[in-house]
Amino acid sequence: MLRSLLAVALASVALPAWAEPPRVVTDIAAVHSLVSRVMKGVGEPELLIPAGASPHFYALKPSDAGKLRDAQIVIKIGPQLSPWMDRPLTSLAQGAKRLHLLEQPGTITLAARTGATFEPHRDHGDHHPGTGEDDHDHDHDHGHAAIDPHAWLDPENGKIWLPLIARALSDLDPEHAADYSANATAGTAEIDRAMADTRAALASVQDLHFIVFHDAYQYFEHRFGLNAAGAIALSHASPPGPARISELRERVEALDVTCALTEPQFDLDLVRTVFDGHDLKTAVVDPAGSAIPLGPDMYPELIRSVGAALTSCN
């Protein structure tokens, strides 16, 4: 009996002491997917803002407060997307590290558009905060204009962020650093495949002019060379006034626009008002990917889903 107990004790000493994975909180589903890809086989992040909820105006629940209190790191787009998060992070997650993706060197950013109509896309360069590098002159004055926060819809940003996420997690959990790095590399290849699929799908709509309800797709347009003609609403909280609708109707007339991208929560009657008297096709698309299951595959599927919606509107 004594010999058996001793053997068990020795065996337990010999077992490796595996580190617990970091406790990670992410803001939106797209970021959750990127982090899930990096943590695949090691652990899973927590999602703070549930699918279908607006990241601009979300009210925390008691369970969300618990997630933040337990977090070792919070990975999010940045205050440009969800400025309300600063206060609860300061009060509930004081000890947690923060990774604001929009502020990372190399991240491609575009200035927010405020007008009802957009000029046709020219060949923009990529703006890289923190590096001062621009491939070409930009139409946007980044020094004086607010940054459009929907940067996850440029899949190149997803590729830029994966190794940054891996590095941040490795700092907290060096034992799994090799896993995080390998997962980030695999995730990059998956995004490349999603981009290739999306480019192929969009080949038939390169000359399509379309109106969006909410101006969330600038990064996607920029990456894939698309031609959005305008946005019906300035933001989630700002319904369009008569002057904006009138300007859009003139644009629809001038370009013979027949396609509108709508989102599940928005009022189709406003879209019909803009297109009154014109043929109209609509495609429902969600920049947050609310209908796509959470997990490592969600982000590449989100990119494909936006391309598929546009293709269906041709």
Side-chain angles (χ1 to χ4, degrees):
M1 180 68 175
L2 181 60
R3 186 177 299 169
S4 298
L5 290 174
L6 182 61
V8 171
L10 289 172
S12 65
V13 170
L15 289 174
W18 296 107
E20 288 290 324
R23 296 185 299 277
V24 185
V25 172
T26 64
D27 56 351
I28 61 171
V31 175
H32 179 274
S33 178
L34 292 170
V35 178
S36 295
R37 189 62 187 88
V38 174
M39 296 185 74
K40 190 173 183 179
V42 178
E44 294 183 7
E46 295 273 12
L47 177 64
L48 191 65
I49 304 170
S54 170
H56 306 292
F57 314 103
Y58 180 65
L60 287 180
K61 300 175 182 177
S63 59
D64 299 324
K67 293 176 185 177
L68 290 176
R69 277 193 294 266
D70 292 340
Q72 293 175 273
I73 184 170
V74 178
I75 302 176
K76 65 193 192 81
I77 293 295
Q80 298 89 342
L81 180 69
S82 48
W84 57 268
M85 281 186 69
D86 285 346
R87 183 175 294 180
L89 283 177
T90 300
S91 61
L92 297 171
Q94 295 179 4
K97 294 186 176 184
R98 302 184 195 179
L99 182 63
H100 290 183
L101 298 174
L102 272 183
E103 298 173 3
Q104 298 310 300
T107 296
I108 298 160
T109 63
L110 299 171
R113 303 182 290 201
T114 57
T117 61
F118 313 140
E119 291 301 318
H121 279 288
R122 298 204 300 270
D123 184 17
H124 296 284
D126 295 337
H127 177 63
H128 305 273
T131 68
E133 298 174 0
D134 285 272
D135 297 330
H136 305 282
D137 291 337
H138 233 270
D139 285 345
H140 308 298
D141 182 355
H142 294 275
H144 299 89
I147 291 175
D148 182 340
H150 303 89
W152 68 91
L153 286 179
D154 185 343
E156 286 293 338
N157 276 333
K159 292 165 58 178
I160 289 166
W161 293 337
L162 281 170
L164 297 176
I165 294 167
R167 194 173 307 132
L169 295 179
S170 296
D171 288 344
L172 291 171
D173 180 22
E175 184 171 335
H176 292 111
D179 296 315
Y180 297 140
S181 179
N183 285 341
T185 299
T188 298
E190 290 164 4
I191 293 174
D192 277 332
R193 288 194 290 274
M195 290 176 67
D197 293 343
T198 302
R199 281 202 177 92
L202 292 172
S204 63
V205 294
Q206 288 298 302
D207 297 326
L208 177 71
H209 293 283
F210 57 94
I211 296 288
V212 299
F213 198 109
H214 162 229
D215 188 17
Y217 306 97
Q218 181 181 189
Y219 288 92
F220 192 90
E221 299 159 29
H222 174 268
R223 180 54 51 198
F224 294 102
L226 301 171
N227 299 298
I232 294 173
L234 176 60
S235 71
H236 283 284
S238 302
R244 189 179 183 94
I245 289 177
S246 176
E247 186 178 356
L248 283 167
R249 291 183 68 172
E250 290 177 7
R251 189 76 164 164
V252 166
E253 182 78 34
L255 296 177
D256 193 24
V257 179
T258 59
C259 173
L261 294 189
T262 68
E263 296 177 34
Q265 69 274 31
F266 290 142
D267 184 2
L268 268 178
D269 286 341
L270 277 174
V271 179
R272 296 187 183 100
T273 298
V274 170
F275 283 84
D276 185 32
H278 290 265
D279 292 335
L280 170 63
K281 290 183 179 180
T282 61
V284 178
V285 61
D286 182 359
S290 302
I292 304 171
L294 291 175
D297 299 330
M298 181 270 176
Y299 184 81
E301 288 308 308
L302 171 62
I303 300 304
R304 290 186 176 96
S305 73
V306 179
L310 271 163
T311 303
S312 73
C313 208
N314 191 14

